[in-house]
Amino acid sequence: MKFDETETTRRTILLVTIAASVALGVTLLVWMLLEQPFSGEHLIRNLFILIKVFVSIFTAAILLGVAVTYFRIYRRLPNPFTRTLLLINVSLLLYAIWANPIVWVVFGVEPTGIGLFTVLPDIFTALAAVMLLQQSGM
């Protein structure tokens, strides 16, 4: 299989656009469901919840694309390196899923104590996911 950097960049941009669109749609839905999304004492807390929802869904969508690519590579080249890449990706994907406040609410956990330092790891994970996507030659 020949590596085509232009095609890889095009696919990366497409997947990032799709992931951002899905994440934005779900985030807007959550925003509409919040009782008082941007009022007084709940302003900062709800803003961080919405950011965390967006980033974790975006990251999970990107990592799903990377997982598909790594699985294809592993099927062609079943070796410890590609298996490790696939397992790292699955680990990051599970983190992105469980970091989502929507999942917390589904399991009955109130998303409290949320702030900048609970959102930053998700942003860094999202950046790592995009870099993995670009490097995977999707």
Side-chain angles (χ1 to χ4, degrees), residues 2 5 8 18 20 64 81 83 86 95-96 102 104 121 135 137:
K2 184 180 162 190
E5 189 173 341
T8 299
I18 291 169
L64 280 173
F81 179 72
R83 182 175 50 242
L86 188 58
Y95 171 80
I102 295 172
W104 303 347
Q135 292 301 314

Side-chain angles (χ1 to χ4, degrees), residues 6 33 44 48 53 62 73 77 85 91-92 95 101 105 125:
T6 305
L33 294 174
I44 298 297
F48 278 119
V53 166
I62 293 292
I73 293 170
L77 301 167
L85 284 176
S91 177
L92 286 170
Y95 171 80
V105 171
T125 304

